[in-house]
Amino acid sequence: MYPNPSPVSRRTSKADDGLTNIQLDHARLHSVAGTPDSRSPRYLKSRTSRILLSAATILLALQFVRVLFVFTGTLGHRRTVYGGAINPAHAAYALEKCRSLETQSSRAPDFARRSRSDRFVPGTNATLITNAAIWTGGGGGHEVLKGDVLLDQGLIRRIGHVDPGLLAVYEHLNRVDAQGRWVTPGIVDMHSHLGVDASPALSGANDGNSRKGPILPWLRALDGLNTHDDAYRLSASGGVTTSLVLPGSANAIGGQGVVIKLRPPTDHSPTGMLLENPYNSSEYDSGKQFRFRQMKHACGENPDRVYSNTRMDTAWAFREGYEKARQIKEAQDGYCAKATSGQWSGLGEFPEDLQWEALVDVLRGRVKVHTHCYETVDLDDLVRISNEFQFQIAAFHHAHETYLVPDTLKSAYGTPPAAALFATHMRYKRESYRGSEFAPRILAEAGIKVVMKSDHPVLDSRFLLYEAQQAYYYGLPHNLALSAVTATPATVLGLDHRIGFLKEGYDADIVLWDSHPLALGATPQQVWIDGIAQISHSYATPKPAPFQRLPRTPNFDAEARAALEHDGLPPLGPKASLARTVVFTNASSVYLPSPDGAITEHVAAMRAPGPVSVVVRDGMILCIDAPAGACVRAATLGAPAEYVDLAGGSLAPGLTTFGSALGLEEIQGEVSTKDGYVLDALRVRVPKLAGGKGALIHAVDGLQFGTRHALVAYRAGVTTGVVAPLSGGFLAGTSTALSLAAQHKLEPGAVVQAVGAVHVAIHPSGVPSVSTQIGALRRLLLHPQEGELGVWLDKVKNGETPLVVDVESADIIATLIALKAEVEHELGTHLKLTLSGAHEAHLLAAELRAADIGVILAPARPFPKSWETRRILPGPPLTEKSAVRVLLEQGVTVGLGVRDADKALNTRFDAAWAALEAGSTISKEEAIALVSTNVQKLLGIERSPDEGEMVATLGGDLLEYSKVVGVISPGRGVVDLW
């Protein structure tokens, strides 16, 4: 709205009855008591004189104003007439508004010639990075330079070869020798809730979503941005320098996002974090250029669920909101057409509405629209709406089905939207069920821009580069994979004139990596934001020389084609070999489990160096021998055999996953596809029919086989799942182990072990208190119990069955250590106690070893999601050691788990990452044990070495970018091949 008009404009504005205020005032002058009789001649004469005098005065005043306007000019040199009278204040404001409507979003004309960043912090020394491999983002992501990078005044001053003479001007210059390592632009996260969904999550800082209505374009994430979020430092340590912080997805239109830099602001304010603040006109001339704003849209399940709507309701809400914005826009355009041509008569006020101005700006192309949208029906809805109201969609986010309908994206209004994706996070709700790890490569091949993003804290943005690494592993070209977290999001945001690339004059947002950025486990040695180093002391672990090169990846062409041919649901079931005998040739290593659970490398013990062959019959390994060895010849003599060339690959034990609902659910968000939750005896009375006080639920009774999560994980080398009953409370029940290849429970080998351990959980949840939960556990262990509960607790007390406690807080862990000692003293037995989750277990590593308590860290890389996990040990580059390393060095038995079923797919990469972070302190054998034999031991799963599956990988071992091509299954008596 424009300011209150001046006194002059108020007097010459139209009143409700059509008279001017001057005329009304004149009429009132002659209606007051005591005026002469209007019928007297004297009055008539006086009245005539006064009328003539007033008219002359008015005409003289109008002429004076006209002359003044002619000589002083108006905006655009137009005459400003309103309602038959001149109105300079109103006209100036209205014409300024009209002129601003024609301004386009763009960088300032002289931006490329700037000598200092607008975000430069005075006192920051210049930095010279020498001897670097520089990935610039240029040339479509193919440009790599060898040389130096000079940072000064918050900008990249020079890149390539820096003349020593140029450095003489610097009295203080920080020098960093990259030693040939890789330098890239800072990572740009194009979908984050950092600072509005706080870490750790607390009710007092939950500002991601409003629930005041489905259409809320007037809200701004800036107004809820928490500068004290623990995740800023963590994300920056992963190389993230810029984030688009968006409102959540509860609303069809949730409000405006903000682009921030992740260094601590010098003024300690949210505004100080903004990159190109679009709300503060004092920082730039909005008449010359208009900075892009970013707006969040959402369709599908989230807004439908929050407002109890259908997709039809949400689509109408979009159309209703945009129709309101279009009406305002058309009114403004019509107004300005008249105002700029001097047709002021009857125009009234400039038509605007503070609530709707942002959505009007969407229609004017000044706002980047980011749409949370998963499946085809929703994508098509938004595309049609974009054409109906003629606005561009910058990107579809999450976008799990975009790879199936790229032509739909291309039919959107204007430039086709980018697709902002997860690499492997999918199938957690129905609309993500057809997601594919091959989506990035398929979309890129179709000409759609691909962005990888975190949706922080859904995924920890510290590891956003890992999303690019996975996309690369599954077939996205290396240049596009790195661009997907740098150049491409910067371009989509309209900020590619200053971030996302390494160019002279660009912001000094740079990452120096310890290895090639697409190599698994790549970690920043240093991160600069606006030329300021963000890591006070870097603990990056030296990586082997091969990690400095672009890693090789497998061929997934057939799998990508199958994803398209089957509309996102390709068959995933195991395929047994045609012959009873299978010979794996050209294996560079074979890792085998020993009776004590340790993993040993068999090939290293052989006398003859070089590749070996492994002969398998009916799912059992017969021998490991040289390619022409006697065993190989005898095993294949006179019998048909199928040969698989591993091309320098490997065989290793099948992996085991634990910590998610894998085996008890298909789609996390759909109740009808899961076993459901057990009753919590500390909150409700368990019915007698279910066992009453003696009830104990067994996960084996609710198993689901053939789920897509299970089959995808199986194809990635995870052969066994261990799952406990789903519980939101204290006592869960007993876990079970299942084969991820089985199609049903009655199939041979489907149930690996019916019962493994008894599971409880202790977390601060208000009611019941932590002390109440500890008290309940003490009573269970020290007093006899009835029914099934009593039977299995007796096994726990006797040390036959492990007790697994899901716990995070070091304070609760300390209490559990003391409780274990108390119970063992009272009973005279030794308990098998395992902690799962255990984010803060590293703080008590020595005490855990002394108490003989094992730990399953889930997830493998920690994040302070809640208050009870706030004291994490981040690992390199922020700390020298990771939690895995600290616990192992103290002698604690450690396993790695996951929290979500879709993460089981990457179990082997979790183990590899743990080993890489620990340098040479964790061997490959120990890393494999972290996700196989250690997990089984800690969960009470007992299998002899010859009972477990073996996994064959092509082109490398299980911890590398190899491809799983076969599984040897003794329990099922087959070899599955792909």
Side-chain angles (χ1 to χ4, degrees):
M1 302 293 287
Y2 58 76
N4 289 330
S6 67
V8 174
S9 63
R10 280 200 299 270
R11 286 183 58 81
T12 57
S13 62
K14 286 282 186 178
D16 290 346
D17 60 0
L19 297 174
T20 66
N21 285 337
I22 290 178
Q23 292 169 323
L24 289 171
D25 288 348
H26 187 72
R28 294 190 192 99
L29 180 66
H30 300 288
S31 65
V32 297
T35 56
D37 187 348
S38 61
R39 293 169 293 180
S40 68
R42 178 184 172 189
Y43 173 77
L44 292 174
K45 180 178 179 181
S46 173
R47 180 186 178 201
T48 302
S49 299
R50 288 175 178 169
I51 291 174
L52 291 174
L53 179 60
S54 297
T57 302
I58 292 171
L59 289 173
L60 182 62
L62 290 175
Q63 186 61 28
F64 174 80
V65 174
R66 287 179 185 274
V67 171
L68 181 64
F69 264 62
V70 168
F71 280 93
T72 59
T74 63
L75 291 171
H77 304 289
R78 300 185 181 98
R79 297 177 64 209
T80 307
V81 183
Y82 179 65
I86 301 300
N87 190 330
H90 183 183
Y93 176 81
L95 288 172
E96 173 63 24
K97 293 294 291 187
C98 291
R99 184 180 69 142
S100 70
L101 299 183
E102 300 173 0
T103 305
Q104 296 300 309
S105 299
S106 64
R107 66 180 183 183
D110 58 348
F111 188 84
R113 299 191 299 273
R114 60 183 179 151
S115 60
R116 171 182 288 192
S117 171
D118 54 324
R119 294 183 48 83
F120 174 68
V121 176
T124 302
N125 293 337
T127 298
L128 178 66
I129 305 168
T130 60
N131 190 27
I134 307 166
W135 186 85
T136 69
H142 290 286
E143 183 179 60
V144 176
L145 306 177
K146 302 289 185 180
D148 315 323
V149 183
L150 177 63
L151 314 179
D152 184 29
Q153 303 292 305
L155 303 175
I156 300 172
R157 187 69 67 192
R158 292 287 185 275
I159 190 167
H161 173 70
V162 177
D163 189 336
L166 182 64
L167 306 177
V169 300
Y170 297 107
E171 182 179 355
H172 301 288
L173 179 66
N174 299 328
R175 294 176 180 268
V176 177
D177 184 358
Q179 299 180 335
R181 293 186 176 88
W182 288 85
V183 165
T184 70
I187 291 175
V188 180
D189 188 356
M190 204 175 78
H191 188 132
S192 177
H193 304 292
L194 183 63
V196 293
D197 284 343
S199 302
L202 296 168
S203 60
N206 183 12
D207 292 298
N209 283 296
S210 170
R211 287 172 169 78
K212 298 300 189 294
I215 305 296
L216 303 170
W218 46 85
L219 300 185
R220 304 186 302 183
L222 175 63
D223 298 327
L225 192 67
N226 173 20
T227 58
H228 303 296
D229 196 309
D230 286 357
Y232 290 123
R233 172 173 170 263
L234 295 171
S235 296
S237 75
V240 180
T241 57
T242 304
S243 291
L244 169 60
V245 178
L246 292 165
S249 53
N251 312 100
I253 301 180
Q256 302 163 49
V258 285
V259 181
I260 64 171
K261 291 285 192 80
L262 267 58
R263 69 168 173 81
T266 54
D267 64 357
H268 306 287
S269 74
T271 302
M273 302 184 74
L274 298 188
L275 175 60
E276 295 202 348
N277 183 355
Y279 303 118
N280 186 354
S281 60
S282 66
E283 291 186 358
Y284 68 103
D285 184 355
S286 60
K288 293 182 180 179
Q289 51 100 209
F290 198 97
R291 290 174 174 172
F292 279 118
R293 284 185 283 177
Q294 318 287 330
M295 185 175 288
K296 177 68 175 293
H297 287 20
C299 54
E301 294 182 25
N302 284 17
D304 292 352
R305 181 182 65 254
V306 170
Y307 294 101
S308 300
N309 282 342
T310 65
R311 281 176 165 79
M312 295 181 290
D313 295 310
T314 300
W316 169 246
F318 274 118
R319 296 181 66 217
E320 186 177 39
Y322 270 108
E323 178 59 23
K324 173 72 173 178
R326 179 163 63 182
Q327 290 173 4
I328 296 173
K329 176 182 179 294
E330 290 177 351
Q332 290 175 348
D333 293 344
Y335 182 99
C336 290
K338 291 183 178 181
T340 55
S341 62
Q343 302 177 46
W344 291 95
S345 178
L347 278 184
E349 298 179 354
F350 179 80
E352 59 184 346
D353 188 321
L354 184 60
Q355 280 192 308
W356 296 99
E357 58 84 22
L359 206 59
V360 174
D361 266 2
V362 170
L363 300 181
R364 295 194 182 282
R366 298 176 170 191
V367 180
K368 298 282 190 175
V369 173
H370 300 268
T371 304
H372 159 121
C373 211
Y374 285 78
E375 57 183 324
T376 302
V377 59
D378 299 313
L379 297 168
D380 189 64
D381 285 348
L382 264 293
V383 164
R384 284 188 283 103
I385 291 170
S386 79
N387 284 301
E388 179 181 0
F389 293 95
Q390 298 188 347
F391 66 91
Q392 291 197 99
I393 300 171
F396 282 117
H397 291 239
H398 309 323
H400 282 71
E401 291 190 14
T402 49
Y403 75 102
L404 297 174
V405 288
D407 289 340
T408 297
L409 273 64
K410 293 177 182 179
S411 66
Y413 181 80
T415 304
L421 308 168
F422 296 123
T424 55
H425 182 48
M426 55 196 65
R427 292 180 289 275
Y428 45 89
K429 53 183 175 177
R430 192 196 66 83
E431 60 187 3
S432 68
Y433 191 62
R434 294 175 187 265
S436 171
E437 56 270 36
F438 308 110
R441 64 169 285 179
I442 293 171
L443 285 163
E445 290 167 356
I448 301 296
K449 291 179 180 177
V450 172
V451 173
M452 307 308 296
K453 46 79 182 149
S454 74
D455 195 16
H456 181 100
V458 172
L459 299 183
D460 182 0
S461 62
R462 177 186 175 192
F463 303 111
L464 178 53
L465 183 65
Y466 183 41
E467 296 299 291
Q469 292 167 355
Q470 293 174 80
Y472 169 64
Y473 172 76
Y474 287 110
L476 184 65
H478 67 90
N479 58 308
L480 298 182
L482 267 182
S483 296
V485 292
T486 53
T488 305
T491 301
V492 173
L493 292 171
L495 291 167
D496 53 324
H497 57 284
R498 64 183 300 170
I499 63 171
F501 297 84
L502 295 186
K503 295 182 180 180
E504 293 179 2
Y506 275 54
D507 287 14
D509 298 347
I510 292 181
V511 185
L512 171 61
W513 301 94
D514 66 357
S515 51
H516 192 287
L518 291 179
L520 185 67
T523 301
Q525 288 191 315
Q526 188 53 270
V527 179
W528 290 267
I529 302 178
D530 301 321
I532 303 172
Q534 299 300 301
I535 303 174
S536 58
H537 185 91
S538 177
Y539 292 98
T541 304
K543 300 290 175 61
F547 279 74
Q548 298 302 326
R549 300 189 293 270
L550 178 69
R552 294 182 303 172
T553 57
N555 186 312
F556 288 105
D557 290 350
E559 290 84 350
R561 285 194 301 270
L564 290 176
E565 290 169 2
H566 295 273
D567 201 26
L569 298 176
L572 298 173
K575 299 178 181 179
S577 60
L578 299 177
R580 291 177 55 201
T581 301
V582 177
V583 181
F584 293 98
T585 66
N586 200 16
S588 62
S589 59
V590 178
Y591 297 94
L592 297 171
S594 60
D596 64 357
I599 305 295
T600 59
E601 185 179 2
H602 180 88
V603 172
M606 291 187 62
R607 296 179 181 177
V612 297
S613 294
V614 179
V615 181
V616 182
R617 181 172 295 160
D618 295 332
M620 299 292 293
I621 295 178
L622 295 183
C623 61
I624 303 171
D625 202 352
C631 172
V632 175
R633 295 196 307 271
T636 57
L637 185 64
E642 196 165 347
Y643 290 82
V644 180
D645 184 357
L646 297 183
S650 178
L651 282 91
L655 308 183
T656 300
T657 183
F658 168 74
S660 74
L662 182 64
L664 291 178
E665 71 177 18
E666 176 73 273
I667 303 173
Q668 184 182 57
E670 293 289 340
V671 174
S672 64
T673 72
K674 56 201 304 182
D675 178 51
Y677 290 84
V678 302
L679 296 173
D680 181 14
L682 287 184
R683 288 188 173 93
V684 299
R685 184 182 299 275
V686 178
K688 288 185 179 181
L689 186 62
K693 293 181 180 180
L696 188 68
I697 306 304
H698 303 290
V700 68
D701 295 331
L703 284 179
Q704 297 181 19
F705 290 86
T707 67
R708 298 194 73 78
H709 283 310
L711 296 175
V712 167
Y714 185 70
R715 285 176 168 246
V718 184
T719 59
T720 304
V722 180
V723 62
L726 304 184
S727 171
F730 169 67
L731 177 61
T734 65
S735 55
T736 189
L738 69 150
S739 166
L740 300 190
Q743 296 302 299
H744 58 79
K745 183 187 292 188
L746 301 182
E747 186 178 299
V751 177
V752 174
Q753 187 170 311
V755 174
V758 175
H759 293 252
V760 300
I762 301 179
H763 298 285
S765 57
V767 178
S769 67
V770 168
S771 51
T772 299
Q773 296 171 62
I774 292 292
L777 182 58
R778 178 182 287 109
R779 182 174 181 80
L780 290 177
L781 294 175
L782 290 179
H783 297 274
Q785 304 298 320
E786 58 187 70
E788 281 280 295
L789 180 60
V791 171
W792 284 99
L793 282 178
D794 285 345
K795 295 177 182 291
V796 169
K797 296 172 188 178
N798 294 330
E800 301 173 33
T801 298
L803 174 67
V804 179
V805 182
D806 194 79
V807 61
E808 302 287 6
S809 165
D811 298 309
I812 303 176
I813 292 173
T815 300
L816 289 171
I817 294 173
L819 179 61
K820 181 176 186 287
E822 177 187 346
V823 172
E824 289 176 341
H825 175 75
E826 289 289 329
L827 300 180
T829 59
H830 181 78
L831 303 184
K832 293 180 181 179
L833 181 59
T834 297
L835 309 180
S836 65
H839 269 69
E840 296 185 354
H842 62 278
L843 296 172
L844 293 158
E847 291 80 1
L848 289 168
R849 174 64 186 91
D852 192 22
I853 298 175
V855 172
I856 298 178
L857 296 171
R861 292 181 294 283
F863 176 70
K865 189 171 185 177
S866 62
W867 187 256
E868 60 179 331
T869 62
R870 69 191 185 282
R871 295 175 290 185
I872 65 169
L873 189 66
L878 293 178
T879 59
E880 179 183 5
K881 298 179 182 180
S882 65
V884 177
R885 181 175 173 183
V886 168
L887 290 165
L888 287 176
E889 286 181 350
Q890 288 294 333
V892 177
T893 301
V894 179
L896 301 180
V898 299
R899 286 300 194 189
D900 301 306
D902 59 10
K903 305 301 185 298
L905 166 70
N906 291 322
T907 296
R908 64 192 184 112
F909 293 151
D910 288 343
W913 199 308
L916 289 167
E917 279 192 329
S920 59
T921 64
I922 298 179
S923 66
K924 284 193 174 183
E925 293 89 338
E926 290 170 324
I928 294 171
L930 288 173
V931 288
S932 58
T933 53
N934 282 12
V935 175
Q936 294 181 16
K937 175 183 177 181
L938 291 169
L939 297 174
I941 307 304
E942 300 176 354
R943 304 178 83 179
S944 65
D946 58 356
E947 289 179 331
E949 293 83 6
M950 293 289 291
V951 173
T953 52
L954 175 71
D957 63 44
L958 197 58
L959 303 182
E960 298 173 337
Y961 278 169
S962 59
K963 183 179 184 180
V964 174
V965 293
V967 174
I968 303 168
S969 177
R972 295 168 51 237
V974 298
V975 176
D976 293 320
L977 297 175
W978 297 282

